[in-house]
Protein backbone atom coordinates (compact mmCIF):
# COMPACT_ATOMS: atom_id res chain seq x y z
CA UNK A 1 0.00 0.00 0.00
CA UNK A 2 3.04 2.27 0.30
CA UNK A 3 3.54 2.77 -3.42
CA UNK A 4 0.12 4.35 -4.13
CA UNK A 5 0.57 6.68 -1.16
CA UNK A 6 4.00 7.72 -2.46
CA UNK A 7 2.44 8.35 -5.87
CA UNK A 8 -0.25 10.54 -4.31
CA UNK A 9 2.41 12.51 -2.40
CA UNK A 10 4.44 12.96 -5.59
CA UNK A 11 1.37 14.11 -7.53
CA UNK A 12 0.51 16.58 -4.77
CA UNK A 13 4.04 18.02 -4.83
CA UNK A 14 3.95 18.33 -8.62
CA UNK A 15 0.53 20.00 -8.40
CA UNK A 16 1.80 22.55 -5.86
CA UNK A 17 4.86 23.31 -7.99
CA UNK A 18 2.77 23.64 -11.15
CA UNK A 19 0.28 26.04 -9.52
CA UNK A 20 3.09 28.11 -8.01
CA UNK A 21 4.81 28.31 -11.40
CA UNK A 22 1.64 29.44 -13.20
CA UNK A 23 0.72 31.99 -10.51
CA UNK A 24 4.28 33.40 -10.45
CA UNK A 25 4.33 33.71 -14.23
CA UNK A 26 0.92 35.43 -14.29
CA UNK A 27 2.06 37.77 -11.50
CA UNK A 28 5.21 38.76 -13.43
CA UNK A 29 3.26 39.54 -16.59
CA UNK A 30 0.54 41.47 -14.74
CA UNK A 31 3.11 43.42 -12.72
CA UNK A 32 4.94 44.40 -15.88
CA UNK A 33 1.67 45.67 -17.37
CA UNK A 34 0.84 47.81 -14.33
CA UNK A 35 4.34 49.33 -14.31
CA UNK A 36 4.43 50.12 -18.03
CA UNK A 37 0.88 51.37 -18.66
CA UNK A 38 0.11 55.04 -19.21
CA UNK A 39 -1.79 55.34 -15.93
CA UNK A 40 -0.24 57.01 -12.92
CA UNK A 41 2.02 54.59 -11.06
CA UNK A 42 0.95 53.38 -7.65
CA UNK A 43 3.23 53.11 -4.62
CA UNK A 44 4.77 49.65 -4.72
CA UNK A 45 5.51 49.80 -0.98
CA UNK A 46 1.79 50.08 -0.17
CA UNK A 47 1.02 47.20 -2.54
CA UNK A 48 3.53 45.00 -0.69
CA UNK A 49 1.94 45.97 2.64
CA UNK A 50 -1.58 45.19 1.41
CA UNK A 51 -0.33 41.86 0.05
CA UNK A 52 0.87 40.93 3.53
CA UNK A 53 -2.52 41.88 4.99
CA UNK A 54 -4.40 39.77 2.42
CA UNK A 55 -2.09 36.80 3.02
CA UNK A 56 -2.78 37.13 6.74
CA UNK A 57 -6.55 37.23 6.20
CA UNK A 58 -6.45 34.24 3.83
CA UNK A 59 -4.35 32.26 6.31
CA UNK A 60 -6.80 33.08 9.11
CA UNK A 61 -9.69 31.95 6.92
CA UNK A 62 -7.98 28.68 5.96
CA UNK A 63 -7.05 28.00 9.60
CA UNK A 64 -10.68 28.59 10.61
CA UNK A 65 -11.82 26.06 8.01
CA UNK A 66 -9.08 23.62 9.05
CA UNK A 67 -10.10 23.65 12.71
CA UNK A 68 -13.77 23.35 11.76
CA UNK A 69 -14.94 24.76 15.07
CA UNK A 70 -15.09 28.36 16.26
CA UNK A 71 -14.01 27.42 19.78
CA UNK A 72 -10.99 25.43 18.58
CA UNK A 73 -10.13 28.23 16.14
CA UNK A 74 -10.10 30.84 18.92
CA UNK A 75 -8.11 28.51 21.17
CA UNK A 76 -5.55 27.96 18.40
CA UNK A 77 -5.10 31.70 17.84
CA UNK A 78 -4.91 32.33 21.58
CA UNK A 79 -2.33 29.62 22.12
CA UNK A 80 -0.14 30.04 19.05
CA UNK A 81 -0.38 33.79 18.38
CA UNK A 82 -1.42 35.80 21.42
CA UNK A 83 0.12 33.37 23.90
CA UNK A 84 3.38 32.65 22.06
CA UNK A 85 5.48 35.82 21.80
CA UNK A 86 8.60 33.66 21.44
CA UNK A 87 7.16 32.00 18.33
CA UNK A 88 6.19 35.39 16.90
CA UNK A 89 9.75 36.59 17.43
CA UNK A 90 11.05 33.43 15.77
CA UNK A 91 8.92 34.06 12.66
CA UNK A 92 9.84 37.75 12.59
CA UNK A 93 13.39 36.74 11.62
CA UNK A 94 12.59 35.83 7.98
CA UNK A 95 10.41 38.93 7.62
CA UNK A 96 13.25 41.19 8.74
CA UNK A 97 15.81 39.33 6.63
CA UNK A 98 13.59 39.56 3.54
CA UNK A 99 13.25 43.31 4.18
CA UNK A 100 17.04 43.63 4.29
CA UNK A 101 17.28 41.54 1.11
CA UNK A 102 14.87 43.79 -0.80
CA UNK A 103 16.71 46.94 0.25
CA UNK A 104 20.11 45.46 -0.60
CA UNK A 105 18.81 44.35 -4.01
CA UNK A 106 17.64 47.91 -4.71
CA UNK A 107 21.00 49.32 -3.57
CA UNK A 108 22.85 46.84 -5.77
CA UNK A 109 20.73 47.67 -8.82
CA UNK A 110 21.46 51.37 -8.24
CA UNK A 111 25.22 50.76 -8.27
CA UNK A 112 25.61 48.03 -10.90
CA UNK A 113 24.70 47.69 -14.56
CA UNK A 114 21.46 45.77 -15.06
CA UNK A 115 23.24 42.88 -16.83
CA UNK A 116 25.84 42.54 -14.05
CA UNK A 117 23.08 42.70 -11.43
CA UNK A 118 20.94 39.97 -12.98
CA UNK A 119 23.94 37.65 -13.42
CA UNK A 120 25.28 38.02 -9.89
CA UNK A 121 21.83 37.93 -8.26
CA UNK A 122 21.28 34.40 -9.61
CA UNK A 123 23.91 33.25 -7.11
CA UNK A 124 20.96 33.02 -4.71
CA UNK A 125 20.13 29.62 -6.30
CA UNK A 126 23.36 27.80 -5.27
CA UNK A 127 23.41 29.86 -2.05
CA UNK A 128 19.99 28.42 -1.14
CA UNK A 129 21.28 24.91 -1.88
CA UNK A 130 24.32 25.54 0.35
CA UNK A 131 22.13 26.87 3.19
CA UNK A 132 19.93 23.79 2.83
CA UNK A 133 22.95 21.51 3.28
CA UNK A 134 24.40 23.48 6.21
CA UNK A 135 21.22 24.37 8.13
CA UNK A 136 19.08 21.28 7.52
CA UNK A 137 21.83 18.61 7.53
CA UNK A 138 20.89 17.39 4.07
CA UNK A 139 23.07 16.04 1.30
CA UNK A 140 22.82 16.62 -2.43
CA UNK A 141 24.24 14.26 -5.01
CA UNK A 142 26.79 15.43 -7.58
CA UNK A 143 24.07 15.32 -10.22
CA UNK A 144 21.84 17.55 -8.10
CA UNK A 145 24.65 20.09 -7.61
CA UNK A 146 25.25 20.08 -11.35
CA UNK A 147 21.54 20.68 -11.97
CA UNK A 148 21.53 23.58 -9.45
CA UNK A 149 24.39 25.38 -11.22
CA UNK A 150 22.89 24.50 -14.61
CA UNK A 151 19.63 26.12 -13.46
CA UNK A 152 21.58 29.19 -12.35
CA UNK A 153 23.19 29.47 -15.79
CA UNK A 154 19.88 28.90 -17.56
CA UNK A 155 18.15 31.68 -15.62
CA UNK A 156 21.02 34.04 -16.40
CA UNK A 157 20.72 33.33 -20.12
CA UNK A 158 16.91 33.65 -20.11
CA UNK A 159 17.13 37.09 -18.48
CA UNK A 160 20.20 38.23 -20.40
CA UNK A 161 19.88 41.46 -22.35
CA UNK A 162 22.79 43.11 -24.17
CA UNK A 163 23.99 46.30 -22.57
CA UNK A 164 22.68 49.38 -24.33
CA UNK A 165 24.48 52.69 -24.59
CA UNK A 166 22.81 55.57 -22.81
CA UNK A 167 23.40 59.28 -22.78
CA UNK A 168 22.50 59.52 -19.10
CA UNK A 169 25.56 59.13 -16.92
CA UNK A 170 24.69 57.59 -13.55
CA UNK A 171 27.24 57.74 -10.76
CA UNK A 172 27.74 54.19 -9.49
CA UNK A 173 29.87 52.51 -6.87
CA UNK A 174 30.58 48.94 -8.11
CA UNK A 175 32.22 47.90 -4.84
CA UNK A 176 29.13 48.98 -2.89
CA UNK A 177 26.93 47.26 -5.47
CA UNK A 178 28.76 43.92 -5.22
CA UNK A 179 28.74 44.14 -1.42
CA UNK A 180 24.99 44.82 -1.42
CA UNK A 181 24.22 41.97 -3.79
CA UNK A 182 26.34 39.58 -1.72
CA UNK A 183 24.25 40.48 1.34
CA UNK A 184 21.03 40.10 -0.69
CA UNK A 185 22.06 36.65 -1.93
CA UNK A 186 22.94 35.46 1.58
CA UNK A 187 19.69 36.88 2.96
CA UNK A 188 17.66 35.12 0.26
CA UNK A 189 19.21 31.73 0.99
CA UNK A 190 19.14 32.08 4.77
CA UNK A 191 15.57 33.41 5.10
CA UNK A 192 14.05 30.75 2.84
CA UNK A 193 15.83 27.85 4.53
CA UNK A 194 15.20 29.29 8.02
CA UNK A 195 11.46 29.42 7.33
CA UNK A 196 11.57 25.87 5.97
CA UNK A 197 13.35 24.69 9.14
CA UNK A 198 10.74 26.31 11.37
CA UNK A 199 7.92 24.77 9.33
CA UNK A 200 9.33 21.26 9.43
CA UNK A 201 10.73 21.21 12.97
CA UNK A 202 7.31 21.00 14.64
CA UNK A 203 3.77 19.80 14.05
CA UNK A 204 2.37 23.34 14.24
CA UNK A 205 -0.10 24.05 11.45
CA UNK A 206 1.31 25.67 8.32
CA UNK A 207 -1.39 28.33 8.52
CA UNK A 208 -0.53 29.16 12.12
CA UNK A 209 3.08 29.65 11.03
CA UNK A 210 1.92 31.85 8.17
CA UNK A 211 -0.17 33.99 10.54
CA UNK A 212 2.83 34.39 12.83
CA UNK A 213 5.09 35.45 9.95
CA UNK A 214 2.60 37.73 8.20
CA UNK A 215 1.88 39.64 11.41
CA UNK A 216 5.54 40.63 11.66
CA UNK A 217 5.61 41.12 7.88
CA UNK A 218 2.87 43.75 8.12
CA UNK A 219 4.87 45.67 10.74
CA UNK A 220 8.05 45.52 8.63
CA UNK A 221 6.29 46.63 5.42
CA UNK A 222 4.51 49.49 7.21
CA UNK A 223 7.89 50.76 8.35
CA UNK A 224 9.06 50.49 4.73
CA UNK A 225 6.02 52.46 3.53
CA UNK A 226 6.75 55.25 5.99
CA UNK A 227 10.49 55.43 5.27
CA UNK A 228 10.22 55.18 1.46
CA UNK A 229 7.07 57.04 0.49
CA UNK A 230 5.71 58.57 3.69
CA UNK A 231 5.69 62.18 2.50
CA UNK A 232 4.15 61.42 -0.92
CA UNK A 233 1.51 59.12 0.58
CA UNK A 234 0.45 61.91 2.95
CA UNK A 235 -0.02 64.14 -0.05
CA UNK A 236 -1.60 61.71 -2.55
CA UNK A 237 -3.14 59.01 -0.37
CA UNK A 238 -2.35 55.40 0.47
CA UNK A 239 -4.23 53.97 -2.54
CA UNK A 240 -2.97 56.49 -5.11
CA UNK A 241 -2.84 55.06 -8.64
CA UNK A 242 -4.71 51.85 -7.77
CA UNK A 243 -6.73 50.25 -10.58
CA UNK A 244 -8.42 46.89 -11.07
CA UNK A 245 -5.19 45.64 -12.62
CA UNK A 246 -3.19 46.69 -9.54
CA UNK A 247 -5.62 44.83 -7.28
CA UNK A 248 -5.28 41.81 -9.55
CA UNK A 249 -1.49 41.94 -9.17
CA UNK A 250 -1.88 42.14 -5.38
CA UNK A 251 -4.25 39.16 -5.43
CA UNK A 252 -1.77 37.10 -7.49
CA UNK A 253 1.07 38.05 -5.16
CA UNK A 254 -1.02 36.99 -2.15
CA UNK A 255 -1.99 33.63 -3.64
CA UNK A 256 1.59 33.10 -4.82
CA UNK A 257 2.89 33.81 -1.31
CA UNK A 258 0.56 31.21 0.20
CA UNK A 259 1.49 28.64 -2.40
CA UNK A 260 5.17 29.33 -1.80
CA UNK A 261 4.74 28.36 1.85
CA UNK A 262 2.91 25.17 0.79
CA UNK A 263 5.74 24.31 -1.62
CA UNK A 264 8.38 24.92 1.06
CA UNK A 265 6.41 22.81 3.55
CA UNK A 266 5.94 19.78 1.30
CA UNK A 267 8.99 20.00 -0.97
CA UNK A 268 11.95 22.29 -0.27
CA UNK A 269 13.50 25.66 -1.09
CA UNK A 270 15.60 24.23 -3.91
CA UNK A 271 12.50 22.97 -5.69
CA UNK A 272 10.97 26.40 -5.09
CA UNK A 273 13.94 27.84 -6.99
CA UNK A 274 13.32 25.48 -9.90
CA UNK A 275 9.65 26.48 -9.93
CA UNK A 276 10.61 30.16 -9.96
CA UNK A 277 12.94 29.52 -12.89
CA UNK A 278 10.17 27.81 -14.83
CA UNK A 279 7.94 30.80 -14.04
CA UNK A 280 10.57 33.14 -15.53
CA UNK A 281 10.54 31.13 -18.75
CA UNK A 282 6.71 31.10 -18.92
CA UNK A 283 6.42 34.83 -18.20
CA UNK A 284 9.01 35.62 -20.87
CA UNK A 285 7.07 33.56 -23.42
CA UNK A 286 3.91 35.42 -22.38
CA UNK A 287 5.77 38.71 -22.84
CA UNK A 288 6.57 37.66 -26.41
CA UNK A 289 2.85 37.30 -27.15
CA UNK A 290 1.61 40.28 -25.15
CA UNK A 291 4.41 42.86 -25.34
CA UNK A 292 6.22 41.95 -28.56
CA UNK A 293 9.40 40.75 -26.85
CA UNK A 294 11.73 39.01 -29.31
CA UNK A 295 13.12 35.53 -28.65
CA UNK A 296 16.92 35.44 -28.79
CA UNK A 297 19.43 32.63 -29.05
CA UNK A 298 20.48 33.15 -25.44
CA UNK A 299 16.84 32.83 -24.32
CA UNK A 300 16.41 29.56 -26.25
CA UNK A 301 19.65 28.16 -24.81
CA UNK A 302 18.70 29.30 -21.30
CA UNK A 303 15.28 27.67 -21.61
CA UNK A 304 16.91 24.42 -22.65
CA UNK A 305 19.27 24.54 -19.66
CA UNK A 306 16.38 25.23 -17.26
CA UNK A 307 14.34 22.31 -18.62
CA UNK A 308 17.32 19.91 -18.51
CA UNK A 309 18.24 20.99 -14.98
CA UNK A 310 14.66 20.42 -13.76
CA UNK A 311 14.73 16.94 -15.30
CA UNK A 312 18.11 16.06 -13.77
CA UNK A 313 17.15 17.31 -10.31
CA UNK A 314 13.91 15.30 -10.45
CA UNK A 315 15.64 11.97 -11.13
CA UNK A 316 15.21 9.33 -8.37
CA UNK A 317 17.20 10.30 -5.31
CA UNK A 318 17.12 10.38 -1.53
CA UNK A 319 14.23 12.45 -0.19
CA UNK A 320 15.30 16.03 0.69
CA UNK A 321 11.94 17.35 1.82
CA UNK A 322 12.13 16.35 5.51
CA UNK A 323 14.65 17.42 8.14
CA UNK A 324 16.91 14.65 9.34
CA UNK A 325 16.74 14.19 13.12
CA UNK A 326 20.11 12.53 13.45
CA UNK A 327 22.61 10.28 11.80
CA UNK A 328 21.33 7.20 13.62
CA UNK A 329 17.72 7.76 12.68
CA UNK A 330 18.63 8.35 9.04
CA UNK A 331 20.45 5.04 8.87
CA UNK A 332 17.52 3.14 10.35
CA UNK A 333 14.89 4.30 7.92
CA UNK A 334 14.55 4.18 4.18
CA UNK A 335 13.17 7.36 2.65
CA UNK A 336 11.55 7.26 -0.76
CA UNK A 337 10.85 10.10 -3.14
Amino acid sequence: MAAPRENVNLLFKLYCLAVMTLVAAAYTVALRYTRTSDKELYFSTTAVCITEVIKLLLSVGILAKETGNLGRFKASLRENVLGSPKELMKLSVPSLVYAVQNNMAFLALSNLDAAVYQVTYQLKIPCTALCTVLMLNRTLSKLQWISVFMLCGGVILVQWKPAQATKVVVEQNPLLGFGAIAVAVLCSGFAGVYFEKVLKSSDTSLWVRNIQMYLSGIVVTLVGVYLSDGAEIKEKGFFFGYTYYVWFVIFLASVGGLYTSVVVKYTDNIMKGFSAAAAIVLSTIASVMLFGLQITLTFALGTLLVCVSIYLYGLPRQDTTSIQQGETDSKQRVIGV
Side-chain angles (χ1 to χ4, degrees):
M1 296 296 292
R5 183 175 181 181
E6 289 177 358
N7 290 337
V8 170
N9 290 337
L10 178 59
L11 287 174
F12 176 70
K13 292 174 183 178
L14 291 174
Y15 168 77
C16 291
L17 288 168
V19 172
M20 179 183 167
T21 300
L22 291 173
V23 171
Y27 168 76
T28 303
V29 175
L31 180 62
R32 177 174 177 179
Y33 175 80
T34 61
R35 304 305 288 183
T36 56
S37 63
D38 294 331
K39 298 181 178 62
E40 292 180 292
L41 291 181
Y42 57 95
F43 297 111
S44 58
T45 52
T46 63
V48 172
C49 183
I50 295 171
T51 300
E52 293 296 305
V53 172
I54 294 176
K55 286 191 288 189
L56 174 64
L57 295 176
L58 289 174
S59 297
V60 169
I62 295 172
L63 178 63
K65 185 177 180 181
E66 187 180 73
T67 54
N69 180 280
L70 184 59
R72 281 193 303 230
F73 170 66
K74 289 182 178 179
S76 179
L77 285 181
R78 193 180 304 114
E79 177 185 353
N80 296 292
V81 180
L82 300 177
S84 301
K86 186 181 292 186
E87 294 299 312
L88 285 175
M89 290 297 294
K90 186 188 295 185
L91 268 298
S92 68
V93 172
S95 296
L96 290 171
V97 175
Y98 278 132
V100 173
Q101 174 196 338
N102 293 333
N103 281 281
M104 289 297 102
F106 178 80
L107 182 61
L109 189 56
S110 300
N111 287 278
L112 295 173
D113 292 334
V116 176
Y117 168 82
Q118 69 184 16
V119 169
T120 52
Y121 195 50
Q122 301 315 318
L123 290 173
K124 65 183 180 180
I125 298 173
C127 181
T128 298
L130 182 61
C131 287
T132 298
V133 171
L134 295 177
M135 295 173 62
L136 302 183
N137 297 321
R138 293 177 184 161
T139 57
L140 298 179
S141 66
K142 291 181 179 179
L143 188 60
Q144 287 176 314
W145 277 112
I146 291 172
S147 65
V148 165
F149 283 99
M150 186 181 293
L151 175 73
C152 185
V155 173
I156 290 171
L157 290 176
V158 167
Q159 295 184 309
W160 180 267
K161 292 180 182 177
Q164 295 179 350
T166 176
K167 296 179 180 179
V168 180
V169 179
V170 181
E171 186 177 348
Q172 295 180 325
N173 185 338
L175 186 61
L176 178 62
F178 282 117
I181 209 164
V183 174
V185 164
L186 290 173
C187 286
S188 176
F190 172 80
V193 176
Y194 178 93
F195 182 55
E196 181 181 351
K197 186 172 184 177
V198 172
L199 280 180
K200 296 179 179 178
S201 295
S202 71
D203 294 328
T204 306
S205 167
L206 167 65
W207 308 111
V208 168
R209 290 302 191 190
N210 277 342
I211 291 170
Q212 292 169 339
M213 187 171 73
Y214 296 147
L215 280 172
S216 57
I218 291 171
V219 175
V220 170
T221 53
L222 279 175
V223 172
V225 168
Y226 175 77
L227 293 178
S228 299
D229 303 305
E232 287 189 84
I233 288 174
K234 274 187 178 181
E235 178 186 346
K236 298 179 179 178
F238 193 87
F239 297 102
F240 172 77
Y242 276 58
T243 64
Y244 290 116
Y245 291 108
V246 174
W247 283 109
F248 181 60
V249 167
I250 291 173
F251 170 76
L252 288 176
S254 302
V255 174
L258 292 181
Y259 256 100
T260 298
S261 63
V262 173
V263 167
V264 170
K265 173 73 174 178
Y266 297 106
T267 61
D268 56 37
N269 269 283
I270 302 176
M271 285 305 298
K272 185 188 77 172
F274 279 82
S275 178
I280 290 172
V281 174
L282 283 180
S283 60
T284 305
I285 293 173
S287 296
V288 171
M289 297 183 289
L290 298 175
F291 305 114
L293 185 68
Q294 293 185 349
I295 294 289
T296 62
L297 180 61
T298 55
F299 173 80
L301 180 58
T303 301
L304 178 63
L305 284 177
V306 169
C307 293
V308 172
S309 66
I310 292 173
Y311 170 76
L312 292 178
Y313 191 85
L315 290 176
R317 65 195 186 280
Q318 183 181 7
D319 189 5
T320 62
T321 63
S322 58
I323 297 177
Q324 298 178 8
Q325 297 298 327
E327 202 173 313
T328 304
D329 293 339
S330 64
K331 289 180 180 179
Q332 292 177 345
R333 59 184 178 178
V334 178
I335 305 177
V337 175

